Amino acid sequence: MTENSTAADRLRAALTDAAAENRARAFLYRWLELLERTTGDAEPLRELLADDLAMTLTDGRVLHDHDEVAAWYLGTREAVQLSLHHVRGLTVTPGAGRTYDLLIDFDWQGIAKDGSPMTARTRHAWTLTDTGESHLRLSRFAVTAVEPFTPVPAEEALARFAAARTA
């Protein structure tokens, strides 16, 4: 193998890794856009879910299909009038086959339906599958509450929001 082919191989590998991370980030931000919009229409989530979905929530429930995810989405919408996720950390690792494993930390601020400011910190482990479509699909999702969803004074919620934006 020549020095040029080795450099070309390294460049090809770097571009492949960058493309994978960009596709994973595109998925992540599309997911967040849908969760933070409060339209009540869960149908756009359908194209993001794999057929073999296993979505484990903080309460231990495991959702397996679009109807279950739609019910969760609508339940969340009924409890929260404003939701903002700040990505605190993201690691994308190529998995087996055509999958990508993501580890994501979120700082979350929101306002409950009763007007109470709330905060949380969560850690997510996701597996996204490349099905050859223009977007990846979520096949595994597990979330852990690092700091549970907690009502806080407005000043604290605003301070956490400001800190998350600059982190």
Side-chain angles (χ1 to χ4, degrees):
M1 186 175 287
T2 68
E3 187 174 321
N4 285 342
S5 67
T6 303
D9 290 342
R10 284 195 307 268
L11 177 59
R12 210 174 350 271
L15 290 173
T16 299
D17 289 348
E21 183 160 340
N22 287 338
R23 291 195 75 209
R25 283 181 181 275
F27 177 95
L28 168 63
Y29 288 106
R30 175 67 175 143
W31 179 264
L32 291 177
E33 174 195 13
L34 294 173
L35 289 186
E36 292 176 354
R37 278 190 332 189
T38 55
T39 66
D41 180 10
E43 190 58 31
L45 289 170
R46 184 181 302 277
E47 72 177 11
L48 301 180
L49 304 175
D51 292 337
D52 64 342
L53 177 67
M55 186 172 164
T56 306
L57 305 177
T58 56
D59 63 8
R61 286 182 297 149
V62 181
L63 311 180
H64 294 284
D65 60 36
H66 176 263
D67 291 342
E68 292 174 340
V69 172
W72 164 78
Y73 174 76
L74 295 174
T76 300
R77 182 177 176 268
E78 290 172 3
V80 177
Q81 62 177 301
L82 177 69
S83 176
L84 297 169
H85 294 80
H86 296 278
V87 177
R88 186 175 185 81
L90 171 64
T91 304
V92 179
T93 307
R98 297 171 54 114
T99 64
Y100 305 99
D101 296 320
L102 281 64
L103 185 60
I104 312 157
D105 290 331
F106 290 117
D107 280 339
W108 178 85
Q109 291 85 36
I111 298 176
K113 282 293 185 179
D114 68 2
S116 303
M118 298 181 68
T119 64
R121 189 166 281 160
T122 57
R123 172 161 289 154
H124 294 243
W126 296 357
T127 299
L128 304 179
T129 303
D130 186 346
T131 60
E133 298 169 278
S134 61
H135 56 276
L136 302 173
R137 290 194 177 250
L138 182 65
S139 54
R140 298 290 173 269
F141 173 114
V143 59
T144 304
V146 176
E147 292 178 14
F149 294 86
T150 307
V152 295
E155 297 79 18
E156 182 178 337
L158 290 171
R160 286 185 178 211
F161 176 78
R165 288 186 57 180
T166 60

